[in-house]
Amino acid sequence: MLKKIILGVALIVAAASANEGEKKDLRFAVEYTSHATSYYYAEAKDMFLKNDINVEDVKVYVSGVGVATAFVKEHFDVAYMCLVPAINTYANGGVPIKIIAGTHKDGYGIVANSSRIKTIEDLGKEGVKIGVGAKGTVTSFIEEVFIEKSGLEEAKIRKNFVTMNASKQIMALKAGLVDAIVVPEHFVTLAASLEGMEVLVHSQDIWKDLQGSVIVVSDSMLKNYPKTIQKLKKINQEAIDEINKNNDEASVIVAKNLNIYQDRIKTQTKSPSIDLTVTPQIAKGSIENLKLTPDVSVEAVQEVIDKMAQYGFIRASFDAREIVVVDQ
């Protein structure tokens, strides 16, 4: 009897030891964009389950700012979000986040009504209206980079900005209420598919290999569950490798997910009449406008941090190594 008890205790201790450093039930927050392609693909292909991770819940938000806010307030375990709001979360919100991997580089652009806007210089003309994201979004950051590098007169182009979220920008462009919009993928490709619309500038035209989205966890998650962190990185790597080899299946998966979550985004943005339907062809074009890679460097993040400080997005620059985990 005593031997059985000892054996039972030993088995319990062994099981606990095997699971040490792991959290199996995870809650995810992701963006309603093709930037989250590696998440959508991995979830659809059961990559999390195959690595003994249960996606307990996933919430989709209209922007990286929404993901960042939800990550803090609702205590999600993992977030797939753009780098700029991730930096904001740490620097302005004081939230101890850690970046464990990248998901893509590039992935933003300016789409214009080709009958009204034929050149970059036209964006500075009087009477032109340009839809842009709210301060703190990546597209507002892109707008600042564009102003700095385009050579356009700052005062003139700023007068033309109209603040609205990406979904409403699509509607406003289609209705002729704005002449151009600054949006992330998949909205770039979606907008460019509308009659009379063309991509005027891709983000890589003004900042090649800009670090786009990243996978973020809390500092406590990083410390307490290192095995789970490694699994998340492995899943992201494998998903991206498969997509880069052939993105046909990923295009169908991404389109399906964006369409499933369309009503949720309409509710979030109070825009029930917007048609945000994404075809596999639009998803495919959007994925191909991203540089899907799990790589994220301290140097690339530092460059964005420094620019955010320059543009007044954060109070001061800081060492990127405070938030980027390279060798975990």
Side-chain angles (χ1 to χ4, degrees), residues 26 59 114 118 140 173 176 186 195 200 222 271 300 303-304:
L26 299 181
K59 289 289 193 327
S114 59
K118 301 185 184 303
S140 68
L173 184 67
H186 65 286
E195 185 177 354
L200 188 67
L222 182 75
S271 310
E303 194 173 3
V304 175

Side-chain angles (χ1 to χ4, degrees), residues 21 57 69 72 92 95 136 145 153 161 194 232 238-239 291:
D57 186 27
T69 301
V72 175
N92 294 336
V95 181
V145 175
E153 190 174 330
F161 291 151
L194 300 174
L232 289 169
E238 289 178 353
K291 184 176 180 180

Side-chain angles (χ1 to χ4, degrees), residues 305-326:
I305 290 171
D306 292 344
K307 277 295 179 186
M308 287 178 68
Q310 177 186 326
Y311 297 147
F313 280 55
I314 57 178
R315 288 180 290 274
S317 183
F318 61 91
D319 191 334
R321 286 171 292 189
E322 293 179 24
I323 60 172
V324 180
V325 180
V326 178

Side-chain angles (χ1 to χ4, degrees), residues 45-91:
K45 299 291 284 184
D46 290 332
M47 289 183 171
F48 293 106
L49 281 176
K50 288 172 184 175
N51 284 275
D52 206 22
I53 291 176
N54 173 45
V55 179
E56 186 177 57
D57 186 27
V58 57
K59 289 289 193 327
V60 179
Y61 297 87
V62 70
S63 70
V65 173
V67 173
T69 301
F71 182 74
V72 175
K73 289 185 176 180
E74 299 187 39
H75 307 292
F76 286 94
D77 299 298
V78 188
Y80 286 61
M81 71 170 87
C82 289
L83 176 60
V84 168
I87 292 169
N88 265 330
T89 301
Y90 177 81

Side-chain angles (χ1 to χ4, degrees), residues 105-310:
K105 299 185 188 298
D106 306 323
Y108 312 88
I110 301 175
V111 181
N113 184 326
S114 59
S115 67
R116 291 268 293 154
I117 307 295
K118 301 185 184 303
T119 67
I120 287 173
E121 287 70 27
D122 288 340
L123 294 174
K125 288 182 177 178
E126 189 171 348
V128 168
K129 291 190 182 340
I130 307 165
V132 298
K135 184 83 171 180
T137 60
V138 190
T139 51
S140 68
F141 178 78
I142 294 294
E143 130 202 345
E144 296 296 334
V145 175
F146 177 73
I147 290 172
E148 181 181 348
K149 297 193 176 184
S150 68
L152 294 176
E153 190 174 330
E154 183 176 342
K156 283 186 177 180
I157 194 168
R158 283 198 190 281
K159 284 199 309 184
N160 296 341
F161 291 151
V162 182
T163 302
M164 60 184 76
N165 64 56
S167 299
K168 289 188 176 180
Q169 286 183 54
I170 294 287
M171 181 175 68
L173 184 67
K174 190 175 182 179
L177 301 175
V178 298
D179 305 296
I181 59 176
V182 186
V183 285
E185 287 291 357
H186 65 286
F187 290 105
V188 174
T189 303
L190 178 61
S193 73
L194 300 174
E195 185 177 354
M197 308 304 166
E198 292 182 359
V199 177
L200 188 67
V201 178
H202 284 291
S203 57
Q204 51 265 44
D205 298 330
I206 56 175
W207 186 325
K208 186 172 174 55
D209 289 341
L210 171 68
Q211 182 62 51
S213 295
V214 292
I215 301 178
V216 169
V217 299
S218 67
D219 186 55
S220 60
M221 176 90 175
L222 182 75
K223 291 176 181 175
N224 295 330
Y225 305 108
K227 290 182 181 178
T228 302
I229 298 299
Q230 288 301 321
K231 286 183 177 182
L232 289 169
K233 292 176 68 173
K234 174 190 170 191
I235 292 165
N236 184 52
Q237 175 79 66
E238 289 178 353
I240 287 173
D241 286 346
E242 289 188 17
I243 297 164
N244 283 337
K245 285 177 184 174
N246 186 339
N247 62 31
D248 289 342
E249 188 175 13
S251 299
V252 173
I253 289 168
V254 169
K256 180 181 177 181
N257 276 276
L258 294 176
N259 291 333
I260 286 172
Y261 292 116
Q262 183 178 163
D263 287 341
R264 185 179 296 180
I265 299 307
K266 288 179 181 180
T267 300
Q268 282 184 30
T269 59
K270 299 179 181 178
S271 310
S273 62
I274 299 176
D275 182 8
L276 298 174
T277 303
V278 176
T279 64
Q281 291 73 28
I282 289 173
K284 183 179 179 68
S286 178
I287 291 169
E288 290 173 352
N289 281 330
L290 305 173
K291 184 176 180 180
L292 293 179
T293 173
D295 297 340
V296 58
S297 70
V298 169
E299 293 76 17
V301 174
Q302 189 68 60
E303 194 173 3
V304 175
I305 290 171
D306 292 344
K307 277 295 179 186
M308 287 178 68
Q310 177 186 326

